[in-house]
Amino acid sequence: KIMANYLVCIFFLFSQIFAVCAFATCGGYSGHLRVRVECLDKSQSNLSITVNFAYPFRLQEVHFKPTLCEGNRQETIFMVGDYSSSAQFFVTVAVVAFLYSLLATVVYIYYQNKYREGNRGPLVDFVVTVLFAFMWLVSSCAWAKALSDVKSATDPTKVLLLISACRRPANRCSASHYPVWSELNTSVAFGFVNFILWAGNIWFVFKETGWYKTGQRYPMRSASERRANGMSQRLCSQSSFDQSGDSFYQHPYRQASFDQSRESFGQQHYSQGSFNQSMGSLRLPQTSLGQPIIISQGDVTPKGPNPIIFVNDI
């Protein structure tokens, strides 16, 4: 129990750290690229055209003004693409997960009794943990795809194709600076790390719910286990019967003693029945049945096939 509490506390600590790293690396990003245009007339060249972009990556709002290589004329060019939805979704999940982890840490440390009371706290925590694990997976995948599109849209070689002066063979255009993507790549990695953390915590939160405790109290058995258990019980019963039968046949003296005891018990029961019948005949109302004839066992010898009833003298 102490080990489980310790692991949950470690999870809350790491979830807060990685959530902060995820929305800080994505939401705080600012990058730029730089191109140069060398016109046939060197006086009209522009050797440092800088394009700045940042979170939330609404590139259609980013514009720059390169030269046309025609006097002092310039043109306004807007970049292509809007990737704000995926980026904002990713950052929102990170912020909400951080706030929930902070709140859950306070509740788990200072309000442990109320958390376990009524099984409502563990159930809510379990549902929220599953939801955040799913949201981290979806948001990380969406942001990874959006980041790939941002890299393609801000590639300096593709930006040069938007400049009219670069389409003329007489002019020379080149990229002088590429954006740095290490920070955004790290944000995607932090997103999947958060998914692994929340998915792994599902098991520890599930153990605190009543569903796990009910399953432990009444374990479910498969059909094969039930059949194996029944077969083992039948084999055990059969072996016990065989052992008892063998022991019975191995001790004939005990069997004979048992038969003699049973015969003596039958004789006693018969004598008791005769005595009860005699008492019942005494309780009858004034009825004369005649004098009973009692034949002693020593005075009678068997003659003929007729059955003879022996009555013991009482």
Side-chain angles (χ1 to χ4, degrees):
K1 196 67 175 181
I2 297 176
M3 181 61 67
N5 297 339
Y6 181 71
L7 292 176
V8 172
C9 291
I10 292 178
F11 158 74
F12 285 133
L13 177 62
F14 278 98
S15 63
Q16 295 174 30
I17 294 174
F18 286 111
V20 171
C21 294
F23 73 74
T25 52
C26 180
Y29 178 80
S30 178
H32 66 279
L33 61 93
R34 189 177 296 114
V35 296
R36 54 189 299 173
V37 179
E38 297 181 6
C39 302
L40 185 60
D41 186 0
K42 301 297 182 180
S43 61
Q44 298 176 2
S45 299
N46 191 344
L47 303 179
S48 180
I49 302 174
T50 303
V51 181
N52 297 314
F53 60 96
Y55 173 85
F57 307 102
R58 293 188 178 96
L59 299 182
Q60 79 278 8
E61 299 177 359
V62 177
H63 64 279
F64 59 99
K65 294 181 179 182
T67 182
L68 288 173
C69 294
E70 296 176 358
N72 294 325
R73 294 178 57 188
Q74 293 180 340
E75 64 176 342
T76 302
I77 298 178
F78 287 86
M79 300 186 69
V80 180
D82 184 5
Y83 309 100
S84 59
S85 59
S86 299
Q88 289 178 340
F89 177 53
F90 180 79
V91 171
T92 301
V93 171
V95 173
V96 176
F98 168 76
L99 295 177
Y100 178 78
S101 299
L102 185 61
L103 177 63
T105 303
V106 174
V107 172
Y108 200 82
I109 294 177
Y110 297 101
Y111 301 97
Q112 184 67 233
N113 296 330
K114 292 184 179 180
Y115 172 79
R116 300 179 183 276
E117 183 179 357
N119 198 33
R120 181 177 299 178
L123 287 179
V124 173
D125 193 14
F126 174 74
V127 173
V128 174
T129 302
V130 173
L131 180 62
F132 269 113
F134 175 75
M135 298 300 287
W136 272 117
L137 177 62
V138 174
S139 63
S140 298
C141 293
W143 170 231
K145 177 61 172 62
L147 178 58
S148 177
D149 295 337
V150 170
K151 291 180 180 180
S152 178
T154 56
D155 188 359
T157 57
K158 293 185 178 180
V159 173
L160 291 175
L161 299 176
L162 302 176
I163 302 174
S164 301
C166 295
R167 301 192 188 105
R168 300 172 187 174
N171 302 321
R172 298 177 58 185
C173 300
S174 61
S176 59
H177 181 76
Y178 285 82
V180 179
W181 303 111
S182 59
E183 190 173 352
L184 294 181
N185 292 334
T186 305
S187 68
V188 175
F190 280 130
F192 285 104
V193 168
N194 277 283
F195 163 70
I196 295 173
L197 280 175
W198 286 86
N201 191 50
I202 291 176
W203 168 248
F204 296 101
V205 177
F206 177 72
K207 291 177 66 175
E208 300 293 332
T209 62
W211 300 333
Y212 177 79
K213 296 177 181 178
T214 303
Q216 289 291 104
R217 187 179 305 171
Y218 304 102
M220 298 297 293
R221 293 183 178 179
S222 61
S224 60
E225 291 179 352
R226 291 195 296 268
R227 288 195 297 268
N229 190 14
M231 184 178 295
S232 63
Q233 290 180 356
R234 288 195 297 269
L235 291 175
C236 182
S237 301
Q238 185 176 359
S239 62
S240 300
F241 178 77
D242 294 338
Q243 291 177 0
S244 62
D246 295 339
S247 62
F248 180 77
Y249 287 113
Q250 290 174 1
H251 300 281
Y253 178 74
R254 294 182 181 179
Q255 182 178 3
S257 302
F258 176 74
D259 294 338
Q260 291 178 2
S261 301
R262 186 173 59 182
E263 291 177 358
S264 60
F265 177 77
Q267 292 178 1
Q268 292 177 0
H269 181 70
Y270 179 76
S271 303
Q272 183 177 3
S274 303
F275 179 74
N276 293 334
Q277 290 180 0
S278 302
M279 294 298 294
S281 62
L282 294 176
R283 294 191 185 95
L284 292 175
Q286 298 175 356
T287 304
S288 177
L289 297 179
Q291 184 68 24
I293 300 174
I294 300 175
I295 302 175
S296 177
Q297 184 175 0
D299 299 336
V300 179
T301 57
K303 294 180 180 181
N306 293 330
I308 300 175
I309 298 175
F310 297 94
V311 178
N312 294 326
D313 296 334
I314 299 176

